[in-house]
Amino acid sequence: MEFTVGNTHSQLGGVFVLRRHISLSILSLLFLSGVLNCNLNAQVAQRSPALGIPQSPPLVGDTVALALEAQNWLVELIKINTTNPPGNEQAAAKYIAGVLAKEGIPADILDLAPGRSAVVARLRSSAIADPSRALLLVAHMDVVGVDRTKWSVDPFGGVIKDGYIWGRGSLDDKSMLAANLAAFIALKRGNVHLNRDVIFLGTADEEQFGDASMKMIIAKYWDKIASGFAINEGGKVVLGKDGKVQYVALQAAEKVSINVTLSVTGKGGHASTPTKDNPVVHLAAAVEKIGNYNTPVHLTSIVHRYFEALAPLEDEETSKWMKVIDTPDRGEHAIRYLSEANPMWNSMMRDTIAPTILQAGFRGNVIPSEARAVINIRLVPGDTIDVLVNDLKKLVNDPQVKFEIAPEGGLAAPNSSLVSDFFSLITKACAQEFGGVPVIPFMSTGATDSAQLRLHSVQAYGLRPFPVNEADDARVHGDEERLPLSSFPKGVDLMVHIVAEFSVTR
Ligand SMILES: [Zn+2]
């Protein structure tokens, strides 16, 4: 399943799909120069071996003009303030439905809560849908809040300045929303013959996973989005300091977020006559033990593949340890080294526990009768919360400390397959788009809508198709979020070709 730049074709679901590369071929330039609604049949047999990189013509024409249109959709979407809470995603859903209506594509606004809706639209491959083949394009419409005092531009102004599109959602996740919309519309405009249904979905409440989230969409409207494959946020195209794409992390799994509440009750009373019973003391001791607990290492197949593929791109020392992570003699040291080198790597190798809330007391001279703490647990998929909580109970070893697992906690979703046709197609398309860079399977430590889809047997993959460097990536959920203007058309081009090559019959 490793990517191969030299491949000329692949056998995908019985359909012989020719590959493409946009930048190097005279043929591609010819098509770029004017074929928008191309006659596919005439193009099937054409390819060029220029520079040894196999070529095939684009399935749905030029993406340059389309990306400019999509940039405008992105700007308009940023201007619609969908800060969650309260979300107000209905306004964005209506805007998207309007864009689709202009293309002659009917869209459904799916109501989830007052002012909160998802939007869905479908391009049909045949009169009778086969959900197991359908491809779902997912992006969320809500964004996290902003601290306006820390922004130099209006975060909801859709400002384009200094080579960037600025604004909340420019990276997470309205750029993907606009790119998905572009890929979807390209199919319609191309008047192509689809070999599977393609479904566009804008979700709500992704940032809070509350009552208007993907969970609710699946519960209420599954028939509208039932699909075998999905592409969503969750991965990244990593831009190096030299301004070149280093690698693509393609998300096939994610950790599971679960809150656990610790509570201690005891005899409250006058602080002048304390007893051993003080809930504050019991709780503090429990939190201290849990906060410093190193959970057992659990390396999943995806994490193995991740380190294996990342090793050649890292410095000599890091690379050395990544390569021996499996070995019985040096594995333990490797895990320690990598855990200390990068908190994300640590979190990819084990369940993590972060105490996040402490609550006790109301007056300086009164011992409270109750103390509570919340710990946020991120499980490696496959691990179970009951087992971990049992370990924690033993560790704390204090019958006064009660553990309660939050009922709305995430469910451990299975990994998406690393050997599906769609996974190999995305891998190859990314490598081609970015000059043969490695495409690395990735488990994100954060959560996305994909977990819910994976629980419904959807092979969901996470990508953010726009090249972004580490410094800009760190602005996600932070201040001055921005997307490089030059990255946006590349992401649109990539999404168009992933979607077209998976769903169009040549
Ligand atoms: Zn997001």
Side-chain angles (χ1 to χ4, degrees):
M1 281 305 104
E2 293 304 304
F3 76 97
T4 320
V5 181
N7 264 8
T8 56
H9 58 266
S10 56
Q11 194 74 33
L12 298 165
V15 181
F16 186 70
V17 179
L18 292 165
R19 312 301 305 183
R20 57 165 287 284
H21 191 283
I22 196 160
S23 61
L24 294 170
S25 134
I26 295 165
L27 261 181
S28 292
L29 284 174
L30 283 176
F31 285 106
L32 279 174
S33 67
V35 189
L36 250 170
N37 294 331
C38 45
N39 177 340
L40 295 168
N41 292 333
Q43 296 174 27
V44 168
Q46 298 177 26
R47 60 185 159 157
S48 150
L51 300 179
I53 296 179
Q55 310 295 320
S56 68
L59 278 162
V60 286
D62 176 16
T63 65
V64 177
L66 180 63
L68 276 174
E69 280 181 85
Q71 185 182 305
N72 189 44
W73 302 332
L74 170 56
V75 164
E76 293 306 314
L77 285 164
I78 290 171
K79 287 182 188 169
I80 300 169
N81 185 342
T82 51
T83 299
N84 181 10
N88 191 34
E89 297 93 340
Q90 198 172 73
K94 282 183 177 162
Y95 171 76
I96 289 168
V99 171
L100 290 168
K102 282 188 198 137
E103 305 294 326
I105 306 170
D108 281 335
I109 306 273
L110 310 178
D111 290 331
L112 301 161
R116 312 196 74 170
S117 313
V119 59
V120 67
R122 176 184 297 258
L123 295 173
R124 288 186 185 281
S125 56
S126 63
I128 302 156
D130 176 357
S132 70
R133 285 185 55 79
L135 171 63
L136 185 68
L137 314 180
V138 189
H140 62 88
M141 300 184 289
D142 59 320
V143 295
V144 295
V146 295
D147 176 354
R148 280 180 188 264
T149 64
K150 304 271 175 60
W151 286 67
S152 64
V153 298
D154 178 357
F156 302 102
V159 176
I160 296 180
K161 193 180 77 151
D162 305 334
Y164 291 92
I165 303 169
W166 300 74
R168 177 59 86 220
S170 58
L171 287 172
D172 180 16
D173 184 30
K174 288 178 171 172
S175 43
M176 181 116 188
L177 193 62
N180 284 354
L181 196 56
F184 191 71
I185 284 173
L187 296 178
K188 179 71 162 63
R189 290 183 184 173
N191 198 25
V192 295
H193 183 244
L194 293 174
N195 58 42
R196 64 184 79 243
D197 282 13
V198 179
I199 305 162
F200 173 90
L201 175 66
T203 67
D205 206 9
E206 191 277 339
E207 299 292 359
Q208 301 265 329
F209 284 114
D211 290 343
S213 70
M214 183 63 120
K215 222 177 186 170
M216 183 62 81
I217 297 171
I218 289 173
K220 276 178 89 171
Y221 303 108
W222 174 245
D223 59 318
K224 303 236 180 230
I225 64 160
S227 46
F229 304 92
I231 190 150
N232 186 16
E233 64 172 346
K236 47 190 165 181
V237 177
V238 179
L239 208 54
K241 289 201 175 82
D242 58 1
K244 290 186 184 141
V245 173
Q246 285 187 306
Y247 67 94
V248 177
L250 180 54
Q251 188 235 45
E254 59 188 56
K255 293 190 80 181
V256 183
S257 175
I258 299 170
N259 285 331
V260 174
T261 301
L262 310 184
S263 59
V264 186
T265 48
K267 203 159 69 63
H270 204 288
S272 65
T273 52
T275 66
K276 296 266 182 237
D277 199 32
N278 187 339
V280 175
V281 177
H282 285 260
L283 183 76
V287 169
E288 194 271 337
K289 281 181 187 163
I290 290 171
N292 289 316
Y293 177 55
N294 251 344
T295 56
V297 168
H298 174 181
L299 296 175
T300 66
S301 57
I302 288 178
V303 173
H304 273 292
R305 286 272 303 270
Y306 172 82
F307 284 123
E308 200 177 273
L310 195 60
L313 304 174
E314 290 291 328
D315 64 71
E316 214 179 310
E317 181 75 1
T318 308
S319 171
K320 181 181 84 187
W321 292 116
M322 282 183 175
K323 285 175 189 157
V324 298
I325 198 163
D326 267 337
T327 56
D329 52 333
R330 301 165 79 198
E332 206 174 307
H333 187 91
I335 284 158
R336 206 175 317 125
Y337 179 89
L338 296 172
S339 294
E340 280 164 21
N342 184 329
M344 188 184 78
W345 292 342
N346 176 57
S347 179
M348 288 173 76
M349 295 191 285
R350 49 164 52 98
D351 304 333
T352 58
I353 308 166
T356 49
I357 297 175
L358 280 175
Q359 286 172 327
F362 55 96
R363 199 158 291 159
N365 61 355
V366 177
I367 296 168
S369 59
E370 191 179 3
R372 291 170 74 248
V374 176
I375 58 175
N376 182 251
I377 291 176
R378 300 287 169 133
L379 287 181
V380 172
D383 289 353
T384 40
I385 188 66
D386 292 336
V387 171
L388 179 59
V389 166
N390 262 334
D391 289 348
L392 297 182
K393 281 180 183 166
K394 280 183 210 148
L395 175 78
V396 167
N397 191 26
D398 181 347
Q400 242 178 291
V401 180
K402 304 284 181 237
F403 290 72
E404 193 191 342
I405 301 166
E408 74 276 13
L411 293 166
N415 297 341
S416 292
S417 166
L418 300 188
V419 295
S420 73
D421 289 345
F422 193 38
F423 182 82
S424 9
L425 185 146
I426 299 169
T427 299
K428 282 176 192 152
C430 289
Q432 286 175 334
E433 183 75 36
F434 301 118
V437 296
V439 180
I440 300 176
F442 179 58
M443 176 180 76
S444 64
T445 54
T448 72
D449 281 333
S450 291
Q452 290 298 322
L453 293 169
R454 293 186 182 114
L455 283 165
H456 288 77
S457 304
V458 181
Q459 297 298 319
Y461 299 100
L463 183 67
R464 189 184 55 202
F466 319 99
V468 170
N469 67 26
E470 227 173 87
D472 283 334
D473 196 22
R475 297 167 183 243
V476 170
H477 287 209
D479 306 322
E480 306 261 57
E481 185 179 344
R482 64 183 193 180
L483 171 72
L485 260 180
S486 59
S487 292
F488 186 69
K490 290 174 189 160
V492 170
D493 190 65
L494 178 57
M495 286 311 297
V496 167
H497 289 102
I498 288 172
V499 172
E501 292 186 17
F502 193 53
S503 60
V504 174
T505 306
R506 283 191 186 261

